[in-house]
Amino acid sequence: LTALLQGFTTIATGPYLQKATPTSILVRWYTASTVDSKVSYGTSPGNLSQSVSVAGSRTNHSVTLTGLTPYTTYYYSIETSTAVIQSGVDNYFKTLPDPNSTVEEKYTFWVTGDVGNGSSNQINVRDRFINYRSNNITNGWILLGDNAYTNGTEAVYQTNFFDIYETNVM
């Protein structure tokens, strides 16, 4: 029945965040079917009063949120123009502080390279990182390359990257 509802789809990959600045962030995700893109957001999970929509149907979604307040936690939901696909308290990000601010906070980054081969070594490194960080937040992940062997297609990225890290690290 839900498959017949207009605008209904499921998340195939993501959401994940890129290009964070003090006043903007890029939200990306893939859907199982072609739909339009919408992100609703706000400073509390129960009040997502702002939104950005991108017209046109696609499976590869990319929405940039701008005009954000520096050093502020935002919650967001992934939507179409007619349905909420994903929402909840785990969908959040914190904008970076203003470069001229006096905020002092430690940030943790995970820096990796050659991670997309689907090997047991890849899984062992992932598991050791998860154990090392424990319950601490990872603020960013820098990928140095070779993220999806051998040809970098979406299918290879899904199998050798997103399937391995999505629910464990991101």
Side-chain angles (χ1 to χ4, degrees):
L1 178 63
T2 56
L4 300 176
L5 296 174
Q6 182 181 10
F8 181 81
T9 189
T10 57
I11 301 280
T13 302
Y16 54 99
L17 307 169
Q18 295 180 323
K19 294 182 165 182
T21 76
T23 60
S24 66
I25 198 158
L26 176 65
V27 184
R28 300 205 55 201
W29 70 97
Y30 289 82
T31 51
S33 57
T34 55
V35 292
D36 58 348
S37 311
K38 181 178 177 182
V39 174
S40 292
Y41 62 99
T43 54
S44 72
N47 186 20
L48 307 180
S49 58
Q50 300 175 65
S51 66
V52 175
S53 298
V54 177
S57 294
R58 63 190 49 80
T59 57
N60 182 351
H61 304 268
S62 181
V63 175
T64 302
L65 308 181
T66 60
L68 305 174
T69 302
Y71 204 62
T72 302
T73 299
Y74 286 90
Y75 297 87
Y76 65 94
S77 63
I78 302 300
E79 306 176 11
T80 69
S81 58
T82 59
V84 175
I85 304 170
Q86 183 193 57
S87 187
V89 296
D90 290 335
N91 282 20
Y92 73 92
F93 60 89
K94 187 172 187 178
T95 52
L96 299 173
D98 184 282
N100 298 319
S101 75
T102 58
V103 171
E104 290 187 28
E105 184 172 326
K106 292 182 179 181
Y107 288 88
T108 301
F109 287 86
W110 190 28
V111 181
T112 59
D114 298 324
V115 297
N117 61 12
S119 70
S120 60
N121 286 336
Q122 179 183 3
I123 293 167
N124 289 337
V125 168
R126 176 204 65 197
D127 293 347
R128 287 186 183 188
F129 173 73
I130 291 168
N131 288 335
Y132 171 77
R133 81 161 186 209
S134 186
N135 292 327
N136 298 311
I137 292 173
T138 304
N139 300 100
W141 187 4
I142 299 172
L143 299 166
L144 301 177
D146 293 336
N147 306 324
Y149 289 87
T150 60
N151 57 17
T153 64
E154 285 186 31
V156 171
Y157 258 100
Q158 187 64 49
T159 302
N160 289 357
F161 186 80
F162 288 109
D163 288 350
I164 291 173
Y165 296 112
E166 187 168 26
T167 57
N168 299 295
V169 177
M170 296 181 182

